[in-house]
Amino acid sequence: MDNALILVAEDEPEIAAILTAYLERDGFRTVCAADGETALMHHQLLRPDLVLLDVQMPKRDGFAVLAEVRHRGNTPVIMATARAEDLDKLSALHVGADDYVVKPFNPMEVVARVKAVLRRTNGAMGGPTVLRVNRIAIDTACYSACVENDDGDARLDLTLTEFRILEHMARAPRWVFSRADLVDACMPESDALERTVDSHVSNLRRKLDAAGAPGYFTVVRGVGYRLLGK
């Protein structure tokens, strides 16, 4: 994570200056872009480790930039906006944002979120591209997962939250994760209640069962869930 390059795409000079100052104080390198087209040019030429992306920018707005960044690859993106409506949040996450902050924000919180996103992305962690738990294969670079069967691989059609839960638990198989653990690690940008984890895990278990991998989730009553291949 040390010396990671952060692209700050922000059209308000004062906000951009504050963010770069706080990021550089914590050892990050920074480059700024005041409009969407410049942000995409920097992204293509400089290959930043993470993008802090404002929604309302001239030339190309944040959602258009995010869509293009996702088309190019999996650079982590944190969206920033002055609008807190759920529609914005859902749109950002649907397109593929890794986190979401609302203005006015505390710059120290933004730096903390940058560190958290970098920790859980493959490049910053230095972990393997593909995680395996028995017959489940999780490609962390491509955000895809499948079950490896004798007659071919069965691709898992997962939502972003389901993928995050599966990936997070696969990094520590047999470990028991509480619902609070999974909310903090996999849904940091939402206001989800712990009971919503049950719904996500239930859907994930159903999809694994259908793909030929039943029984991989164990419920530890009163504690949480464990990923345990048979």
Side-chain angles (χ1 to χ4, degrees):
M1 195 188 319
D2 293 339
N3 209 35
L5 177 62
I6 311 300
L7 169 56
V8 180
E10 170 60 63
D11 66 329
E12 297 185 42
E14 292 184 2
I15 295 178
I18 291 171
L19 288 173
T20 56
Y22 274 82
L23 288 164
E24 290 174 0
R25 188 186 67 176
D26 274 53
F28 294 105
R29 296 175 295 134
T30 63
V31 61
C32 292
D35 61 74
E37 290 184 0
T38 303
L40 287 173
M41 180 184 68
H42 285 337
H43 177 262
Q44 184 171 13
L45 295 176
L46 302 177
R47 305 291 183 184
D49 297 290
L50 182 142
V51 181
L52 272 174
L53 180 60
D54 186 38
V55 169
Q56 298 184 21
M57 287 195 302
K59 297 187 178 179
R60 298 186 69 173
D61 69 18
F63 289 125
V65 173
L66 175 60
E68 179 60 26
V69 169
R70 279 291 162 265
H71 178 72
R72 295 175 180 178
N74 293 299
T75 305
V77 175
I78 299 176
M79 299 288 283
T81 183
R83 299 180 299 178
E85 290 87 346
D86 287 343
L87 179 60
D88 278 351
K89 184 176 293 188
L90 292 172
S91 297
L93 298 177
H94 177 72
V95 177
D98 295 273
D99 204 348
Y100 189 100
V101 294
V102 178
K103 297 177 182 178
F105 44 66
N106 184 328
M108 290 187 292
E109 178 189 353
V110 176
V111 174
R113 287 176 178 265
V114 167
K115 292 179 179 179
V117 170
L118 286 175
R119 277 197 300 269
R120 70 172 186 257
T121 55
N122 183 65
M125 294 177 65
T129 299
V130 177
L131 299 173
R132 281 187 167 82
V133 178
N134 285 6
R135 293 187 294 110
I136 301 175
I138 305 160
D139 191 328
T140 60
C142 297
Y143 286 79
S144 64
C146 68
V147 176
E148 299 174 333
N149 297 313
D150 292 338
D151 56 350
D153 295 346
R155 184 179 179 276
L156 294 167
D157 185 15
L158 304 179
T159 66
L160 178 60
T161 298
E162 290 165 2
F163 179 87
R164 285 177 174 175
I165 291 173
L166 183 61
E167 177 192 1
H168 185 66
M169 295 182 71
R171 293 188 182 278
R174 299 178 181 272
W175 185 267
V176 178
F177 294 89
S178 71
R179 292 169 178 81
D181 291 336
L182 295 176
V183 168
D184 290 343
C186 306
M187 293 176 277
E189 67 288 319
S190 76
D191 299 320
L193 300 175
E194 291 182 16
R195 64 175 178 269
T196 63
V197 172
D198 296 334
S199 177
H200 290 299
V201 172
S202 177
N203 290 334
L204 185 52
R205 293 174 69 180
R206 176 176 51 80
K207 292 176 182 180
L208 286 169
D209 288 352
Y216 272 62
F217 276 94
T218 302
V219 179
V220 181
R221 186 165 298 177
V223 181
Y225 296 101
R226 175 170 55 197
L227 186 64
L228 177 62
K230 292 184 178 180

